[in-house]
Amino acid sequence: MVVGAHGCGTEGDVSDDAGKGAGASASGDGLRRRRRRRRLARAGIAVGVVAVGAVGVGWAVYAKLSGNITSDEAAAAELARYEKERPTALVRGAQNVLLIGSDSRSGDGNARYGRDSGTERSDTTILLHLAAGRDSATAVSLPRDLMVNVPGCHGPDGARTAPVFTQFNYAFSAGGSACSIRTVEKLTGIRIDHHVVVDFQGFKEMVDALDGVEVCLRKPVDDEDAKLKLPAGRVTLDGEQALGYVRARKSLGDGSDTDRMDRQQRFLGALVNKVQSNGVLLNPVKLYPVLDAATSALTTDPNLASLRGLYDLVRGLRDIPTERVQFLTVPRQPYAGDANRDQLVQPAAEKLFTRLRTDEPVTIALPVHGERGDAESPAPTFSGNTADEDVCE
């Protein structure tokens, strides 16, 4: 504080030397003390500048990353209108996040995937449940062709759509993320605490920021529609290839949406494994480009629309073992009225929803052909996979 008050001026020097006796030699102890004080003053100022600079850089980075995130104010307002009809959260600390992969063709880099019709579709939707103790994470894929009751929603033009029984991805195109959330809440009875929408371009950039993600292919892939040409075996996909991989239908698996969801889950498991095993979370040099790409791709509810909001949500996730990061698809079967659509398998689906609502453990096993979940067991086992599975096993 003294240095800050006096700086390098001479008044402080004269005042400090008063009382040492008039006629003290300029080449003696007095001068040495004055020079020492000046050096200390300059050092103090330098340290202060560096500290302020570091804080400035830190704040600039924080502001940049927070500013990347788009806050979904419209969805928040729409959900507030229907607060009375929404489910109540049952377990303090548990969190349910709806992750929506947007099929929009608008925006930088997205036009190559098709014509922009002016609307968005939910190409991928995952209900992510984070246990209250942050000792597990369960991601449940919701098929876009699942037949559900979609409530009346306000569309982008302000007009209200009529309630309808139709395929799930209609909800997002009719009323955006708020309509998807209300549809999921009515379907599951689970309160959605947060939502995150990710678009094509952001997905690619995040994978590239991680220097790619490794997958395993049982045979070569040559899919012109997916812009994908890959050899068999272990392959590290860049962002463009990864997007083609998770979206391809014709050349991978049996061409069904079921097979594609399984592939998406395995890719997400490989991505989680890459983040944890590559030291990304503990290395600022590696972490910044990942965060920059990820935040630029996100539209979230207002409570998540900042680094602080995201940090508060995920700070405990880095300690979850990869074998406790689980992926599964809601129990479903072909819809009776149209084999190209899906319907829930009951009571297996309701047992899954109940365990998520009450924050009970969900047990998964490797999928067996034809298995849709054990409907009879009091603690059912659902087919799925975990983030620690070897992609080539």
Side-chain angles (χ1 to χ4, degrees):
M1 297 297 291
V2 173
V3 170
H6 294 297
C8 293
T10 57
E11 273 190 20
D13 295 334
V14 172
S15 173
D16 287 342
D17 284 340
K20 299 295 182 183
S25 172
S27 61
D29 292 341
L31 181 57
R32 282 193 293 272
R33 283 194 298 270
R34 285 195 294 273
R35 286 173 176 169
R36 181 172 179 272
R37 281 194 293 272
R38 288 183 185 125
R39 287 196 299 271
L40 289 173
R42 286 192 292 270
I45 292 171
V47 169
V49 169
V50 171
V52 170
V55 170
V57 170
W59 173 250
V61 170
Y62 177 89
K64 165 70 165 61
L65 295 177
S66 288
N68 286 346
I69 305 170
T70 300
S71 179
D72 199 347
E73 303 290 345
E78 177 76 351
L79 292 173
R81 293 190 187 100
Y82 297 95
E83 179 59 38
K84 290 183 179 180
E85 71 179 40
R86 299 183 65 197
T88 300
L90 299 181
V91 179
R92 183 180 179 86
Q95 296 279 286
N96 295 293
V97 185
L98 197 66
L99 307 175
I100 301 171
S102 168
D103 197 22
S104 171
R105 267 64 172 181
S106 63
D108 293 342
N110 289 343
R112 74 184 68 181
Y113 300 104
R115 182 176 61 86
D116 178 16
S117 63
T119 62
E120 290 186 295
R121 292 170 292 175
S122 53
D123 188 65
T124 301
T125 304
I126 294 174
L127 173 58
L128 175 63
H129 175 76
L130 307 177
R134 296 299 187 267
D135 55 358
S136 69
T138 302
V140 181
S141 293
L142 300 172
R144 63 183 189 175
D145 292 334
L146 184 68
M147 297 300 291
V148 298
N149 289 302
V150 177
C153 299
H154 288 93
D157 60 357
R160 181 180 170 85
T161 62
V164 62
F165 180 69
T166 187
Q167 61 197 75
F168 174 63
N169 69 341
Y170 168 79
F172 192 71
S173 60
S177 51
C179 195
S180 293
I181 290 168
R182 293 177 59 219
T183 300
V184 171
E185 290 184 338
K186 287 180 177 295
L187 179 72
T188 66
I190 296 170
R191 172 83 177 203
I192 302 301
D193 302 292
H194 300 290
H195 69 276
V196 176
V197 182
V198 185
D199 72 4
F200 283 176
Q201 188 67 17
F203 174 85
K204 293 188 300 182
E205 291 176 357
M206 187 165 57
V207 173
D208 284 335
L210 286 167
D211 296 324
V213 174
E214 184 182 80
V215 298
C216 186
L217 303 175
R218 299 185 184 279
K219 59 182 181 179
V221 175
D222 189 355
D223 188 327
E224 184 176 350
D225 290 340
K227 307 182 188 303
L228 204 61
K229 189 169 185 177
L230 301 167
R234 292 183 182 272
V235 181
T236 298
L237 304 181
D238 63 21
E240 187 73 32
Q241 293 168 328
L243 183 60
Y245 176 77
V246 299
R247 301 194 71 246
R249 283 178 178 267
K250 298 179 180 178
S251 60
L252 290 173
D254 59 11
S256 67
D257 199 42
T258 295
D259 186 83
R260 189 175 71 148
M261 284 187 295
D262 290 342
R263 196 182 328 126
Q264 290 170 350
Q265 291 167 6
R266 291 187 180 278
F267 181 85
L268 288 175
L271 187 147
V272 169
N273 212 9
K274 177 67 178 284
V275 170
Q276 290 196 358
S277 64
N278 207 35
V280 172
L281 296 177
L282 301 177
N283 187 332
V285 175
K286 292 182 179 180
L287 183 59
Y288 176 78
V290 175
L291 288 177
D292 190 35
T295 52
S296 297
L298 300 183
T299 297
T300 76
D301 59 276
N303 289 334
L304 284 189
S306 69
L307 280 188
R308 171 56 61 184
L310 289 175
Y311 175 76
D312 286 344
L313 178 70
V314 306
R315 59 185 170 183
L317 300 186
R318 64 185 180 187
D319 297 324
I320 298 178
T322 51
E323 66 269 17
R324 296 292 294 152
V325 179
Q326 305 177 131
F327 300 91
L328 66 149
T329 301
V330 65
R332 83 280 183 214
Q333 63 188 8
Y335 173 52
D338 184 346
N340 293 318
R341 302 288 181 261
D342 287 326
Q343 66 183 29
L344 294 178
V345 171
Q346 297 293 6
E350 182 52 38
K351 286 190 176 185
L352 173 62
F353 300 151
T354 297
R355 299 189 79 80
L356 296 177
R357 277 196 302 269
T358 57
D359 200 32
E360 293 293 323
V362 173
T363 303
I364 67 168
L366 290 176
V368 177
H369 182 68
E371 180 183 357
R372 299 292 183 179
D374 181 358
E376 301 302 324
S377 170
T381 297
F382 301 93
S383 62
N385 60 86
T386 67
D388 76 330
E389 291 179 21
D390 190 303
V391 291
C392 279
E393 291 184 354

